Amino acid sequence: MRVIAIVNQKGGCGKTTTTVSLAGALAADGHRVLVVDMDPQAHATLALGLEPDDLEANLYEVLVEPGGASRLDSVIVDVADRIDLAPSSIVLSALEQKLASERHDARTERLAAALETLPPLYDYVLIDCPPNVGLLTFNALRAAREVIVPLETSFFAIDGVQKLLETIGLLSDRIGHELQVRVLPTLYDGRTRYARQTLGEIRELFKELCFDSVIRLNVKLREAAKHGVPISRYAPSANGAIDYAAVAMELEASPPEQQWLRTRGEDAVAAAAGRAREVVVRFKDASAGDVRIAGDFNGWVPDRGVKSLIASEGQERVWTKVLTLEPGTYQYRYVVDGEWREDPSNPRSAPGPTGQPNSILHVR
Ligand SMILES: Nc1ncnc2c1ncn2[C@@H]1O[C@H](COP(=O)(O)OP(=O)(O)OP(=O)(O)O)[C@@H](O)[C@H]1O
Ligand SMILES: [Mg+2]
């Protein structure tokens, strides 16, 4: 069970949309997902088609009442194929006051304790957080091993994000488990120069902590929330559905342990020897119809053993390829409409057996 908190104290940056759409994308891939709505605004509950006032039970009793942890199971509602929800309600906003007299530790581990009582039903637990770093968010961070920070690309306040990352860092020291943090650019409008620049800055700053995928502005995401269904069901071919499917694929490709290896030094690299991990590469082109990848890792058979996803980005199409590779150095080329080409986005190349240059990929 991978527990992922979706956190940012900034309002309206796409936390709830990410939680619900990612739940839809992961469920479409066959995973069982639990959405935990930790926001008193109950937007995730609404976006999954439930009216908070109509529900008999919600997370309040689980988090506040004595012995509430074991009641999580009875609060959970089945909302869609392979998606369950632990619903929220406005009463959750009283949590802070209600628990004021308790020890800090006891207050912040309520959700973690409740999740531990669940049978091993879920592959993913996605926790939607409110736009502040109060007790509800602390509970989410304490329960999670991974964090996704959605960042609006039309607005980038570096101070706010750094503060949030500091808070997460402090908390992971205190709770004794590491939180794997990744940043997801959202609300991206590629037509504006400002958005393109902001995306560049975000990538530059967060490097491998940034998802390769970007969530574009897509009005269908808003409509899906209004209709109370994830975008994967409401409009499966919309950009919003495609973008979140790509995020799901990135998540599936890198469980936390592998991210950990990527951010550590040579020791960890040595320890990883003999252990395969998934590597994501992307190819963009405006006119290509069919793009495959071939290299010494798949016997130069185009796309053999490779997971593939196609999306559109403005005028261009983007092919995302997921390769399963052990640490080492590999040569590869793209096959674009039958023509073998170097990777235009990769400056590293070496002459192949026929004298033509092959692109080089190092897997640490
Ligand atoms: N990629 C997108 N394209 C278009 N609209 C979007 C996109 N992502 C989110 N929205 C819309 O923007 C608004 C804010 O998004 P969302 O509710 O997901 O943000 P949030 O971070 O959860 O907000 P809050 O901090 O209030 O909880 C919503 O109306 C949502 O439908
Ligand atoms: Mg929200």
Side-chain angles (χ1 to χ4, degrees):
M1 184 166 94
R2 283 172 72 179
V3 183
I4 307 176
I6 292 79
V7 182
N8 191 339
Q9 77 273 39
K10 183 174 180 315
C13 58
K15 292 181 287 297
T16 303
T17 305
T18 297
T19 307
V20 171
S21 310
L22 203 48
L26 289 165
D29 285 349
H31 300 292
R32 288 159 310 172
V33 186
L34 172 66
V35 171
V36 178
D37 188 353
M38 286 292 268
D39 186 354
Q41 301 179 96
H43 287 163
T45 302
L46 288 160
L48 285 167
L50 295 180
E51 193 53 57
D53 292 344
D54 296 348
L55 294 165
E56 275 172 26
N58 57 59
L59 277 170
Y60 179 83
E61 57 193 75
V62 174
L63 300 173
V64 175
E65 290 176 13
S70 60
R71 261 183 266 162
L72 177 58
D73 202 23
S74 64
V75 165
I76 289 173
V77 207
D78 177 352
V79 284
D81 238 8
R82 288 187 289 274
I83 305 179
D84 285 356
L85 168 74
S88 173
S89 151
I90 188 70
V91 291
L92 267 189
S93 55
L95 183 80
E96 205 112 12
Q97 265 186 335
K98 287 276 175 195
L99 300 183
S101 59
E102 286 197 28
R103 268 187 315 119
H104 182 83
D105 271 5
R107 273 186 285 163
T108 55
E109 65 194 14
R110 295 282 172 129
L111 179 61
L115 289 176
E116 269 172 27
T117 67
L118 290 181
L121 265 179
Y122 301 105
D123 303 306
Y124 288 85
V125 176
L126 304 180
I127 311 173
D128 188 25
C129 291
N132 58 57
V133 194
L135 194 52
L136 288 158
T137 299
F138 267 75
N139 263 277
L141 290 173
R142 184 131 198 179
R145 293 305 291 252
E146 296 169 73
V147 177
I148 297 177
V149 180
L151 279 191
E152 197 181 328
T153 43
S154 59
F155 171 97
F156 182 38
I158 186 150
D159 292 351
V161 181
Q162 280 181 335
K163 224 183 216 129
L164 177 65
L165 296 183
E166 267 170 43
T167 310
I168 293 171
L170 281 177
L171 189 84
S172 51
D173 285 349
R174 191 143 104 203
I175 58 186
H177 74 235
E178 204 163 330
L179 285 161
Q180 305 293 337
V181 182
R182 286 209 274 180
V183 162
L184 177 65
T186 57
L187 290 146
Y188 179 67
D189 181 357
R191 291 166 306 183
T192 74
R193 212 170 82 193
Y194 181 70
R196 292 197 298 272
Q197 269 173 3
T198 307
L199 180 61
E201 284 167 27
I202 291 172
R203 287 209 188 289
E204 179 62 29
L205 189 68
F206 295 107
K207 300 207 163 62
E208 76 278 358
L209 296 184
C210 193
F211 279 95
D212 288 334
S213 316
V214 173
I215 309 302
R216 289 165 288 179
L217 266 185
N218 183 219
V219 66
K220 294 275 178 210
L221 285 164
R222 201 163 292 186
E223 286 174 24
K226 282 213 183 92
H227 282 79
V229 282
I231 184 86
S232 53
R233 286 248 314 280
Y234 177 73
S237 55
N239 284 345
I242 291 167
D243 292 347
Y244 278 107
V247 177
M249 202 159 108
E250 279 194 61
L251 272 182
E252 289 155 6
S254 64
E257 188 188 329
Q258 290 169 354
Q259 290 168 34
W260 182 83
L261 288 170
R262 211 178 308 155
T263 53
R264 289 296 187 277
E266 291 303 313
D267 290 353
V269 174
R275 288 171 59 179
R277 73 171 183 83
E278 301 199 60
V279 176
V280 178
V281 293
R282 302 173 94 216
F283 181 92
K284 292 187 191 184
D285 196 290
S287 54
D290 180 56
V291 176
R292 297 171 198 222
I293 190 165
D296 42 9
F297 46 80
N298 64 359
W300 296 94
V301 178
D303 268 4
R304 185 170 74 183
V306 174
K307 270 201 279 181
S308 223
L309 188 91
I310 310 170
S312 301
E313 227 173 64
Q315 299 296 317
E316 297 197 296
R317 296 179 87 197
V318 183
W319 281 261
T320 302
K321 305 281 178 187
V322 183
L323 320 167
T324 305
L325 301 175
E326 296 197 346
T329 298
Y330 300 91
Q331 299 199 7
Y332 71 101
R333 303 190 106 206
Y334 283 108
V335 187
V336 183
D337 295 328
E339 199 184 304
W340 291 66
R341 287 201 209 153
E342 269 177 278
D343 182 349
S345 67
N346 181 353
R348 279 163 304 191
S349 67
T354 57
Q356 284 180 314
N358 290 330
S359 299
I360 299 289
L361 182 67
H362 292 296
V363 180
R364 291 192 291 148

